[in-house]
Amino acid sequence: EVQLVESGGGLVQPGGSLRLSCAASGFTFSSYSINWVRQAPGKGLEWVSYISSSSSTIDYADSVKGRFTISRDNGKNSLYLQMNSLRAEDTAVYYCTFGRGHWGQGTLVTVSS
Amino acid sequence: DIQMTQSPSSLSASVGDRVTISCQASQDISNYLNWYQQKPGKPPKLLIYDASNLETGVPSRFSGSGSGTDFTFTISSLQPEDIATYYCQQYDNLFTFGPGTKVDIK
């Protein structure tokens, strides 16, 4: 069974940093590109970042470019999102998602003083 | 960047009604469009992929059509469990989501 489990969310002050993880199982992780998508409270879905299967292609939404860094470790079946210079508007549930409709349950990031 | 619009932003319909949601892309995306259903506190659930293909296990009252820039999502007979927000998503170039349509029972 395909599983994606996000972790690393929490409360952080504006300007702070956080590292999210997404642990994958039940499929050949190294064969798939994967994305981070976020959803602010009561708002819609926003694509955040993309990484190809070999990490050769990476892209970011303009709203996080220069502050967030996506990476993956195919040996550990894990995806990461390093988030720096966090702002209140980064408050959201962060999901990892790949392929045809596979999503994790999400991890909540709250940026507040 | 590809922009996605959806209409209406919300609707209220009776059980058994036919419900239609429209989605428009800012440029040709062929059929690279998904439709998702999301209920509060849950991740999105894929209903339709490649614009018109029903995901395995999804009831046949859900359907999708369209290609290029204009797409339609239909619930042929609205059920109480269909109360949710529905999103279109393009995957022709990275991802972009529509703003969502909130569906309620009248």
Side-chain angles (χ1 to χ4, degrees):
Chain A
E1 180 196 0
V2 171
Q3 267 204 316
L4 297 169
V5 180
E6 302 92 340
S7 62
L11 175 63
V12 61
Q13 291 190 339
S17 297
L18 216 51
R19 189 195 197 205
L20 305 184
S21 299
C22 171
S25 61
F27 65 102
T28 306
F29 180 75
S30 60
S31 296
Y32 291 90
S33 58
I34 193 163
N35 293 266
W36 286 102
V37 172
R38 69 184 180 183
Q39 187 169 36
K43 302 297 184 182
L45 299 162
E46 178 189 17
W47 171 77
V48 172
S49 185
Y50 163 92
I51 187 167
S52 62
S53 58
S54 64
S55 304
S56 59
T57 302
I58 284 173
D59 211 338
Y60 300 96
D62 288 343
S63 57
V64 307
K65 203 170 288 185
R67 300 187 298 121
F68 289 12
T69 301
I70 192 172
S71 62
R72 64 190 295 163
D73 185 334
N74 286 342
K76 293 183 178 179
N77 289 346
S78 292
L79 171 74
Y80 306 102
L81 187 68
Q82 177 66 43
M83 304 187 297
N84 298 330
S85 302
L86 283 161
R87 306 166 180 168
E89 55 264 36
D90 296 318
T91 295
V93 174
Y94 285 74
Y95 298 99
C96 53
T97 176
F98 85 99
R100 202 173 90 195
H102 298 291
W103 292 65
Q105 290 298 308
T107 187
L108 176 62
V109 172
T110 303
V111 184
S112 175
S113 54
Chain B
D1 291 6
I2 300 173
Q3 308 302 318
M4 305 297 292
T5 58
Q6 253 181 269
S7 61
S9 56
S10 66
L11 66 90
S12 188
S14 299
V15 173
D17 280 355
R18 183 180 185 88
V19 168
T20 299
I21 298 169
S22 297
C23 176
Q24 187 167 56
S26 60
Q27 64 189 67
D28 189 340
I29 59 169
S30 184
N31 66 334
Y32 297 120
L33 186 100
N34 289 332
W35 287 97
Y36 283 96
Q37 175 193 68
Q38 189 180 31
K39 297 183 178 181
K42 298 292 188 182
K45 176 187 176 183
L46 181 65
L47 302 180
I48 303 290
Y49 65 95
D50 292 347
S52 60
N53 292 301
L54 192 67
E55 177 66 345
T56 303
V58 172
S60 59
R61 64 180 179 275
F62 297 101
S63 65
S65 64
S67 67
T69 60
D70 294 301
F71 302 87
T72 302
F73 172 81
T74 300
I75 307 172
S76 61
S77 177
L78 187 67
Q79 300 301 304
E81 60 266 33
D82 300 335
I83 294 173
T85 301
Y86 294 84
Y87 295 93
C88 60
Q89 175 215 15
Q90 70 80 18
Y91 51 97
D92 178 55
N93 181 12
L94 300 172
F95 285 177
T96 313
F97 295 90
T101 297
K102 188 173 183 180
V103 175
D104 276 328
I105 300 288
K106 194 182 293 182

